[in-house]
Amino acid sequence: VPQENIKIVGRIKYQGFDSWSPWISSDSPLKKKQTYEISFLLPIIIGSVVALALVFLMTVYLIRKRKYQMKYDYEKAEGNADETKKLNDQMVVKITKHTEVYQELKSRHLKL
């Protein structure tokens, strides 16, 4: 019937219900649902936010780790030279004392 200017009007009454649906005409515009666009964009938006949050957290973690490593390397290079020397000197003293004790025990054993 598209060639003629006929207007079709109608409404529906469902079985088991007392009320009728609103009147609908053939010349009224169709309403599009906006839910498709929102339901399509929502996972994309959430995924983007989660991805950005992960990238941010990883960046902060790596920067903190790098700063800590640099601080540790600096302290190791600068501050531990004296400590290393002290430890080495203590080891020499201990080795010397142990050697002296060993020599004394050995000489006592030989005398027996």
Side-chain angles (χ1 to χ4, degrees):
V1 190
Q3 296 171 346
E4 300 176 16
N5 284 337
I6 299 176
K7 182 178 177 183
I8 301 173
V9 180
R11 64 183 187 167
I12 302 172
K13 182 175 186 273
Y14 292 101
Q15 185 178 7
F17 292 93
D18 294 331
S19 61
W20 287 81
S21 69
W23 287 98
I24 300 175
S25 68
S26 61
D27 63 346
S28 63
L30 297 175
K31 295 181 182 178
K32 281 190 173 180
K33 290 186 177 182
Q34 297 294 326
T35 58
Y36 174 73
E37 293 174 11
I38 293 172
S39 65
F40 177 71
L41 292 177
L42 190 61
I44 293 173
I45 293 170
I46 291 173
S48 299
V49 169
V50 169
L52 287 174
L54 286 174
V55 167
F56 175 75
L57 290 174
M58 288 299 294
T59 303
V60 168
Y61 171 75
L62 290 174
I63 289 172
R64 290 182 134 209
K65 183 178 177 185
R66 183 182 231 177
K67 283 184 180 180
Y68 176 76
Q69 186 64 37
M70 288 175 60
K71 181 180 176 183
Y72 175 76
D73 289 344
Y74 176 75
E75 288 176 357
K76 186 177 177 185
E78 295 294 322
N80 287 344
D82 294 333
E83 290 180 27
T84 303
K85 185 176 180 185
K86 287 178 187 177
L87 289 172
N88 286 339
D89 291 344
Q90 288 176 358
M91 287 298 293
V92 167
V93 169
K94 283 185 178 184
I95 290 172
T96 305
K97 285 182 182 179
H98 285 303
T99 304
E100 291 172 359
V101 170
Y102 176 74
Q103 290 297 332
E104 187 177 333
L105 290 174
K106 187 177 176 184
S107 65
R108 284 185 190 175
H109 182 61
L110 292 176
K111 289 181 184 178
L112 293 175

